[in-house]
Amino acid sequence: MRWWRGFARLFVVKTKFEAFMLIYAIATGAVERGLTYTHRFPGTGGWIMFAACTIVVFMAGGKILDGVERDAMERNHPY
């Protein structure tokens, strides 16, 4: 079980740098998906879906950064 805990720690975002790298990866995928929507649904519908894909990145990115900051504060100032 000890190796499982070590493996799981690889997927924990601990620093803002890691958070920004994760957000960049999500944004790259969202833009790619949005471009697929513009090709599949030409016109206004495709561009609305493109905008939705990119807006979600801002929402998720904010939550990721808030979580990293909150975890850092809890590590520095435990209750």
Side-chain angles (χ1 to χ4, degrees):
M1 285 309 262
R2 189 173 201 197
W3 65 271
W4 185 254
R5 198 173 303 152
F7 179 73
R9 290 182 73 201
L10 292 173
F11 299 99
V12 176
V13 179
K14 297 175 192 155
T15 65
K16 279 192 174 184
F17 177 75
E18 292 173 349
F20 283 123
M21 294 301 291
L22 178 63
I23 294 166
Y24 177 77
I26 293 170
T28 303
V31 169
E32 183 66 31
R33 185 65 183 165
L35 289 174
T36 302
Y37 281 133
T38 60
H39 291 295
R40 185 171 290 179
F41 306 112
T44 307
W47 286 105
I48 290 172
M49 293 300 291
F50 181 89
C53 289
T54 55
I55 290 169
V56 166
V57 174
F58 288 107
M59 294 168 53
K63 288 290 189 179
I64 292 168
L65 289 173
D66 285 345
V68 168
E69 290 174 1
R70 185 179 54 242
D71 289 346
M73 286 179 55
E74 286 178 0
R75 272 187 258 122
N76 294 333
H77 301 288
Y79 305 88

